[in-house]
């Protein structure tokens, strides 16, 4: 399953972080965002009433911070986290809106990637079964099996097609991940041809 992770990057600490191979963040802010499912913008985390009990904020002297949930259809995927330890009031409302918009695109891309991966696994199983059946003497059963396998991947295929249509209706070609969605669309079309071939074989039956 997809693991929820958060990362932060800061120029003047790269050497120290490289040595430890870890990027310290405020777990309190990230956990609050993930648990509550709400975006967080704090102009001075050190004095923010929501995080007064946070040891990580005091430890890392985190001042400004933004954190938004990665969520698709009420399913939590993770969070996007950004902070500044040098000064307060570092992020404008426009920065916050941009991070929210980017998080929406990322969540869609993650969901489509997971669905496509599942679909490819199903297709790999189908192809493996086909190879086994070609060698089998029981050709009469092949038509029934092909139909069952085709129907097995129709549900995820339909889901991906629906998500793609929703995406192309909502976003223009200058949005992030648009070209990646086109690549997924081509893959779905290819798999649809495979499914139609299987169903055609099942309808005709072995000869």
């Amino acid at each position: 399953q997809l693991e929820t992770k958060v990362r932060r990057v800061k120029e003047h600490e790269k050497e120290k972080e490289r040595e430890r191979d870890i990027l310290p963040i405020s777990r309190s802010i990230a956990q609050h965002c993930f648990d509550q499912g709400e975006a967080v913008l704090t102009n001075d985390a050190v004095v923010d009433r929501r995080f007064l009990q946070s040891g990580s904020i005091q430890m890392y002297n985190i001042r400004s911070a933004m954190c938004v949930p990665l969520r698709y259809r009420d399913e939590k995927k993770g969070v996007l986290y950004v902070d500044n330890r040098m000064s307060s009031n570092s992020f404008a409302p426009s920065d916050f809106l941009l991070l929210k918009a980017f998080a929406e695109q990322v969540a869609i891309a993650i969901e489509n990637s997971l669905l496509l991966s599942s679909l490819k696994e199903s297709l790999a199983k189908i192809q493996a079964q086909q190879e086994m059946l070609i060698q089998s003497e029981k050709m009469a059963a092949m038509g029934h099996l092909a139909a069952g396998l085709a129907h097995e991947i129709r549900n995820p295929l339909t889901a991906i097609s629906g998500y793609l249509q929703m995406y192309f209706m909502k976003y223009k070609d200058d949005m992030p991940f648009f070209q990646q969605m086109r690549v997924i669309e081509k893959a779905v079309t290819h798999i649809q041809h495979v499914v139609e071939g299987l169903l055609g074989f099942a309808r005709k039956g072995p000869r």
Side-chain angles (χ1 to χ4, degrees), residues 54-200:
S54 172
S56 60
I57 291 177
Q58 303 297 326
M59 180 184 302
Y60 302 128
N61 193 35
I62 296 171
R63 306 307 297 258
S64 304
M66 297 188 298
C67 191
V68 297
L70 294 175
R71 182 174 54 210
Y72 188 82
R73 291 190 173 183
D74 296 326
E75 183 179 352
K76 298 176 182 178
K77 303 293 183 182
V79 298
L80 286 181
Y81 175 93
V82 181
D83 72 25
N84 186 313
R85 298 184 185 183
M86 303 301 295
S87 62
S88 58
N89 298 303
S90 298
F91 303 117
S94 58
D95 298 324
F96 196 37
L97 291 175
L98 179 62
L99 190 63
K100 287 181 179 180
F102 182 66
E104 182 179 350
Q105 299 295 315
V106 171
I108 292 174
I110 290 174
E111 181 67 16
N112 279 287
S113 177
L114 291 173
L115 287 170
L116 184 60
S117 177
S118 175
L119 196 57
K120 285 182 176 179
E121 290 180 5
S122 297
L123 182 59
K125 292 179 181 179
I126 292 172
Q127 292 172 335
Q129 289 293 329
Q130 284 180 310
E131 291 298 324
M132 293 176 61
L133 288 171
I134 289 174
Q135 304 300 325
S136 176
E137 296 180 354
K138 299 181 179 180
M139 297 298 293
M142 184 178 263
H144 297 290
L145 180 58
L149 291 172
H151 287 297
E152 180 182 340
I153 65 170
R154 264 192 162 181
N155 286 340
L157 189 65
T158 301
I160 291 181
S161 297
Y163 295 149
L164 287 171
Q165 293 304 315
M166 291 171 58
Y167 183 90
F168 293 135
M169 290 174 61
K170 187 173 181 180
Y171 301 105
K172 298 181 180 179
D173 57 5
D174 60 345
M175 295 297 290
F177 301 104
F178 190 91
Q179 296 305 319
Q180 290 88 331
M181 295 302 104
R182 287 300 186 191
V183 173
I184 294 175
E185 183 182 35
K186 291 181 180 179
V188 169
T189 300
H190 171 72
I191 297 173
Q192 284 175 332
H193 292 158
V194 174
V195 172
E196 290 302 321
L198 289 173
L199 291 174

